[in-house]
Amino acid sequence: MKVIKVYDLFRNDCTMDCECENCGHVEVDKSAYNDANYVQNVVPDRYCPKCHLNAKGEKEPIKTTPS
């Protein structure tokens, strides 16, 4: 995911819109933290809810529950 818009800033808290580099899916009104580490490291590692890939093209791991 990549940041396309940041708004509703309050100190370092904000709301941002993100777009998937792989499929173009847009997520709006995501709560976020407005600093360089968050934007450069955390957001690109998020998995797209539509195609389940991150910015590196890695597939989201399958979540299993312990038995």
Side-chain angles (χ1 to χ4, degrees), residues 50-63:
K50 185 175 179 185
C51 69
H52 304 286
L53 297 173
N54 64 10
K56 299 172 193 167
E58 300 168 335
K59 189 82 171 165
E60 184 174 17
I62 297 172
K63 297 176 185 167

Side-chain angles (χ1 to χ4, degrees), residues 3-54:
V3 177
I4 53 175
K5 183 178 178 184
V6 176
Y7 49 96
D8 293 339
L9 290 168
F10 179 72
R11 296 187 184 178
N12 277 341
D13 294 323
C14 67
T15 304
M16 55 178 60
D17 296 346
C18 300
E19 179 181 22
C20 177
E21 296 92 337
N22 301 297
C23 70
H25 175 75
V26 176
E27 287 189 310
V28 294
D29 294 334
K30 299 296 286 181
S31 295
Y33 195 71
N34 189 31
D35 76 345
N37 179 58
Y38 192 87
V39 171
Q40 295 171 359
N41 297 313
V42 176
V43 174
D45 283 341
R46 284 186 181 170
Y47 293 98
C48 174
K50 185 175 179 185
C51 69
H52 304 286
L53 297 173
N54 64 10

